[in-house]
Amino acid sequence: NNATDLSSVISIVDLLSSDDKVKLAVILSSHLPGSVNGNGSLNVNHNNPKYVIGYSTLREEWLALISDEKSDHWIKREISDNRTFIEFLKSKNISLISDIKVSTINDFIKSKKDEGKAPNTITNYLKPVSQCLQHAVNNEYLVNNPVLSAHKPGTKVLKEFIYISDEILDQVIDGSDSLLDRIYWTILRYTGLNPVDVSSLTSEAILGDNGGRYIDGKRTKSKVSVRIPLHSKIEELIEEYGVQCFGVYKKSKNLRDGSTKRFKKAGYVASDGKI
């Protein structure tokens, strides 16, 4: 005999536990028109509880399925990146995967842009999210993966070229306290090779004689053949330090990045802050 207007129903629903709210959603969904969940399905059986699965529950199911195939590093990265998305969902009071729309993903991307996150960082955040939601599609929890239709952040890298005079380069290289840095920077300077190519140089790549020696090899990433005349400065290095000139910082990219940071700092000091 009580009135059942919408506001009365909503006020009572607010008093239910989370589990009871989910059960109620399953029951009510059977009375809704097709594709009301925004996933484009006209044949979904809304009485089936799997169509109101929460994102956290879905993620646990997905991780249980694939965790044996992944490394510890991957698992740690997934936890870190996916946590960012989960926190965003909580801030929007979104828990069910059916409520994650393309607009939700676009809002997430915009929020990270507003925080100053780089496009590649945002893309990394979305990788586990997309894989998780694709699992939902594969198991017919969703019809479409909203991440695939979202407007992805641009990842185009803009290169900036800065002229550094010979005088500054001489000062930076000659003034380094590290022998490996001096060798590494000198080879970079007089070959035009990429850092990873310099680290991959071997003595076998030096061909010719004193009248015309050159570096003969391939680019590490593209495998394109290169032949570079051997500058007298590099010849002097090889003559003085021998095998120490080859494989500099080959062990890891972090070593090369550390050398780059030292070079930038030295360039800044040598140019009185102009570079």
Side-chain angles (χ1 to χ4, degrees), residues 223-249:
K223 304 303 179 185
V224 173
S225 297
V226 293
R227 177 168 290 188
I228 303 168
L230 202 63
H231 193 279
S232 59
K233 293 286 187 180
I234 298 179
E235 291 208 61
E236 291 173 8
L237 279 178
I238 295 174
E239 184 176 342
E240 185 172 359
Y241 299 108
V243 295
Q244 293 185 75
C245 297
F246 303 104
V248 180
Y249 300 137

Short mmCIF file of all heavy atoms in Angstrom, two decimals, residues 223-249:
data_model
loop_
_atom_site.label_atom_id
_atom_site.label_comp_id
_atom_site.label_asym_id
_atom_site.label_seq_id
_atom_site.Cartn_x
_atom_site.Cartn_y
_atom_site.Cartn_z
N LYS A 223 69.72 -2.69 -37.81
CA LYS A 223 70.60 -3.61 -38.54
C LYS A 223 71.08 -3.04 -39.88
O LYS A 223 71.56 -3.76 -40.75
CB LYS A 223 69.89 -4.96 -38.81
CG LYS A 223 69.37 -5.64 -37.55
CD LYS A 223 70.46 -5.89 -36.53
CE LYS A 223 69.91 -6.56 -35.27
NZ LYS A 223 70.94 -6.70 -34.22
N VAL A 224 70.95 -1.72 -40.04
CA VAL A 224 71.44 -1.06 -41.26
C VAL A 224 72.97 -1.00 -41.19
O VAL A 224 73.55 -0.64 -40.17
CB VAL A 224 70.86 0.36 -41.37
CG1 VAL A 224 71.51 1.11 -42.53
CG2 VAL A 224 69.35 0.30 -41.54
N SER A 225 73.63 -1.34 -42.31
CA SER A 225 75.09 -1.32 -42.36
C SER A 225 75.61 0.11 -42.30
O SER A 225 75.02 1.03 -42.89
CB SER A 225 75.58 -2.00 -43.64
OG SER A 225 75.19 -3.36 -43.66
N VAL A 226 76.71 0.31 -41.59
CA VAL A 226 77.34 1.63 -41.51
C VAL A 226 78.84 1.50 -41.73
O VAL A 226 79.46 0.48 -41.39
CB VAL A 226 77.10 2.29 -40.12
CG1 VAL A 226 75.63 2.62 -39.93
CG2 VAL A 226 77.57 1.38 -38.99
N ARG A 227 79.43 2.51 -42.33
CA ARG A 227 80.89 2.58 -42.49
C ARG A 227 81.30 4.01 -42.19
O ARG A 227 80.93 4.94 -42.90
CB ARG A 227 81.30 2.17 -43.91
CG ARG A 227 82.80 2.29 -44.15
CD ARG A 227 83.23 1.62 -45.43
NE ARG A 227 83.13 0.17 -45.33
CZ ARG A 227 83.60 -0.67 -46.26
NH1 ARG A 227 84.19 -0.20 -47.33
NH2 ARG A 227 83.46 -1.97 -46.10
N ILE A 228 82.04 4.20 -41.11
CA ILE A 228 82.36 5.54 -40.62
C ILE A 228 83.88 5.70 -40.55
O ILE A 228 84.56 4.90 -39.88
CB ILE A 228 81.77 5.76 -39.21
CG1 ILE A 228 80.25 5.54 -39.25
CG2 ILE A 228 82.09 7.15 -38.69
CD1 ILE A 228 79.62 5.46 -37.88
N PRO A 229 84.44 6.71 -41.22
CA PRO A 229 85.88 6.96 -41.12
C PRO A 229 86.30 7.14 -39.67
O PRO A 229 85.61 7.78 -38.89
CB PRO A 229 86.08 8.25 -41.92
CG PRO A 229 84.89 8.31 -42.83
CD PRO A 229 83.76 7.68 -42.08
N LEU A 230 87.43 6.55 -39.31
CA LEU A 230 87.91 6.61 -37.93
C LEU A 230 88.65 7.91 -37.69
O LEU A 230 89.72 8.15 -38.27
CB LEU A 230 88.83 5.41 -37.65
CG LEU A 230 88.99 5.02 -36.18
CD1 LEU A 230 87.67 4.57 -35.60
CD2 LEU A 230 90.02 3.91 -36.05
N HIS A 231 88.08 8.76 -36.85
CA HIS A 231 88.68 10.07 -36.57
C HIS A 231 89.98 9.88 -35.79
O HIS A 231 90.14 8.93 -35.02
CB HIS A 231 87.69 10.91 -35.76
CG HIS A 231 88.04 12.36 -35.67
ND1 HIS A 231 88.96 12.85 -34.77
CD2 HIS A 231 87.60 13.43 -36.38
CE1 HIS A 231 89.05 14.16 -34.91
NE2 HIS A 231 88.24 14.54 -35.88
N SER A 232 90.90 10.81 -35.99
CA SER A 232 92.21 10.72 -35.33
C SER A 232 92.08 10.69 -33.81
O SER A 232 92.88 10.04 -33.12
CB SER A 232 93.10 11.89 -35.76
OG SER A 232 92.49 13.14 -35.42
N LYS A 233 91.07 11.38 -33.26
CA LYS A 233 90.87 11.40 -31.81
C LYS A 233 90.52 10.01 -31.29
O LYS A 233 90.94 9.61 -30.20
CB LYS A 233 89.77 12.39 -31.43
CG LYS A 233 90.11 13.85 -31.68
CD LYS A 233 91.10 14.35 -30.64
CE LYS A 233 91.29 15.85 -30.78
NZ LYS A 233 92.27 16.38 -29.79
N ILE A 234 89.74 9.28 -32.08
CA ILE A 234 89.37 7.92 -31.66
C ILE A 234 90.58 6.99 -31.80
O ILE A 234 90.79 6.11 -30.96
CB ILE A 234 88.18 7.41 -32.50
CG1 ILE A 234 86.96 8.31 -32.27
CG2 ILE A 234 87.83 5.97 -32.12
CD1 ILE A 234 85.73 7.92 -33.07
N GLU A 235 91.37 7.19 -32.85
CA GLU A 235 92.59 6.39 -33.02
C GLU A 235 93.52 6.59 -31.83
O GLU A 235 94.14 5.63 -31.34
CB GLU A 235 93.28 6.76 -34.32
CG GLU A 235 92.52 6.36 -35.56
CD GLU A 235 93.44 6.11 -36.74
OE1 GLU A 235 94.29 5.21 -36.65
OE2 GLU A 235 93.30 6.81 -37.75
N GLU A 236 93.64 7.83 -31.37
CA GLU A 236 94.48 8.11 -30.21
C GLU A 236 93.97 7.39 -28.97
O GLU A 236 94.76 6.86 -28.18
CB GLU A 236 94.52 9.62 -29.96
CG GLU A 236 95.26 10.42 -31.04
CD GLU A 236 95.13 11.92 -30.84
OE1 GLU A 236 94.57 12.33 -29.78
OE2 GLU A 236 95.55 12.69 -31.73
N LEU A 237 92.63 7.37 -28.80
CA LEU A 237 92.04 6.67 -27.67
C LEU A 237 92.38 5.18 -27.71
O LEU A 237 92.78 4.58 -26.70
CB LEU A 237 90.52 6.83 -27.67
CG LEU A 237 89.92 8.12 -27.12
CD1 LEU A 237 88.40 8.09 -27.26
CD2 LEU A 237 90.29 8.33 -25.65
N ILE A 238 92.18 4.58 -28.88
CA ILE A 238 92.43 3.14 -29.01
C ILE A 238 93.89 2.82 -28.77
O ILE A 238 94.23 1.82 -28.13
CB ILE A 238 91.97 2.65 -30.40
CG1 ILE A 238 90.45 2.81 -30.55
CG2 ILE A 238 92.37 1.20 -30.63
CD1 ILE A 238 89.93 2.49 -31.94
N GLU A 239 94.76 3.67 -29.28
CA GLU A 239 96.19 3.45 -29.11
C GLU A 239 96.59 3.53 -27.63
O GLU A 239 97.44 2.78 -27.16
CB GLU A 239 96.98 4.49 -29.91
CG GLU A 239 98.49 4.28 -29.86
CD GLU A 239 99.24 5.27 -30.74
OE1 GLU A 239 98.61 5.89 -31.63
OE2 GLU A 239 100.45 5.45 -30.52
N GLU A 240 95.93 4.44 -26.89
CA GLU A 240 96.30 4.64 -25.49
C GLU A 240 95.60 3.67 -24.54
O GLU A 240 96.21 3.17 -23.59
CB GLU A 240 95.97 6.08 -25.06
CG GLU A 240 96.42 6.42 -23.64
CD GLU A 240 96.26 7.89 -23.31
OE1 GLU A 240 95.82 8.67 -24.19
OE2 GLU A 240 96.58 8.27 -22.16
N TYR A 241 94.30 3.38 -24.80
CA TYR A 241 93.52 2.60 -23.84
C TYR A 241 93.09 1.22 -24.35
O TYR A 241 92.52 0.44 -23.58
CB TYR A 241 92.29 3.40 -23.40
CG TYR A 241 92.64 4.70 -22.73
CD1 TYR A 241 92.43 5.91 -23.37
CD2 TYR A 241 93.21 4.71 -21.46
CE1 TYR A 241 92.76 7.12 -22.76
CE2 TYR A 241 93.55 5.91 -20.84
CZ TYR A 241 93.32 7.11 -21.49
OH TYR A 241 93.65 8.30 -20.89
N GLY A 242 93.33 0.93 -25.60
CA GLY A 242 93.08 -0.41 -26.14
C GLY A 242 91.65 -0.90 -25.95
O GLY A 242 90.68 -0.22 -26.31
N VAL A 243 91.49 -2.08 -25.34
CA VAL A 243 90.19 -2.74 -25.24
C VAL A 243 89.19 -1.96 -24.38
O VAL A 243 87.98 -2.21 -24.45
CB VAL A 243 90.34 -4.17 -24.68
CG1 VAL A 243 91.12 -5.05 -25.63
CG2 VAL A 243 91.01 -4.14 -23.30
N GLN A 244 89.68 -1.04 -23.56
CA GLN A 244 88.76 -0.25 -22.73
C GLN A 244 87.83 0.63 -23.57
O GLN A 244 86.80 1.10 -23.09
CB GLN A 244 89.54 0.63 -21.75
CG GLN A 244 90.31 -0.13 -20.70
CD GLN A 244 90.97 0.81 -19.70
OE1 GLN A 244 90.30 1.39 -18.84
NE2 GLN A 244 92.27 0.97 -19.81
N CYS A 245 88.20 0.83 -24.84
CA CYS A 245 87.39 1.69 -25.72
C CYS A 245 86.18 0.97 -26.30
O CYS A 245 85.34 1.60 -26.94
CB CYS A 245 88.25 2.21 -26.88
SG CYS A 245 89.63 3.26 -26.36
N PHE A 246 86.10 -0.34 -26.08
CA PHE A 246 85.02 -1.12 -26.68
C PHE A 246 84.06 -1.66 -25.61
O PHE A 246 84.48 -2.09 -24.54
CB PHE A 246 85.59 -2.27 -27.50
CG PHE A 246 86.55 -1.81 -28.56
CD1 PHE A 246 87.92 -1.96 -28.40
CD2 PHE A 246 86.09 -1.20 -29.73
CE1 PHE A 246 88.82 -1.53 -29.36
CE2 PHE A 246 86.97 -0.76 -30.70
CZ PHE A 246 88.34 -0.92 -30.52
N GLY A 247 82.77 -1.59 -25.94
CA GLY A 247 81.76 -2.09 -25.00
C GLY A 247 81.54 -1.19 -23.80
O GLY A 247 81.11 -1.66 -22.74
N VAL A 248 81.82 0.11 -23.95
CA VAL A 248 81.65 1.04 -22.83
C VAL A 248 80.16 1.15 -22.46
O VAL A 248 79.32 1.42 -23.31
CB VAL A 248 82.20 2.44 -23.19
CG1 VAL A 248 82.02 3.39 -22.00
CG2 VAL A 248 83.66 2.35 -23.59
N TYR A 249 79.86 0.90 -21.20
CA TYR A 249 78.48 0.97 -20.67
C TYR A 249 77.54 0.01 -21.41
O TYR A 249 76.34 0.28 -21.54
CB TYR A 249 77.93 2.40 -20.73
CG TYR A 249 78.74 3.39 -19.94
CD1 TYR A 249 79.05 4.66 -20.43
CD2 TYR A 249 79.23 3.05 -18.67
CE1 TYR A 249 79.80 5.55 -19.69
CE2 TYR A 249 79.97 3.95 -17.92
CZ TYR A 249 80.27 5.19 -18.44
OH TYR A 249 81.02 6.08 -17.71
#
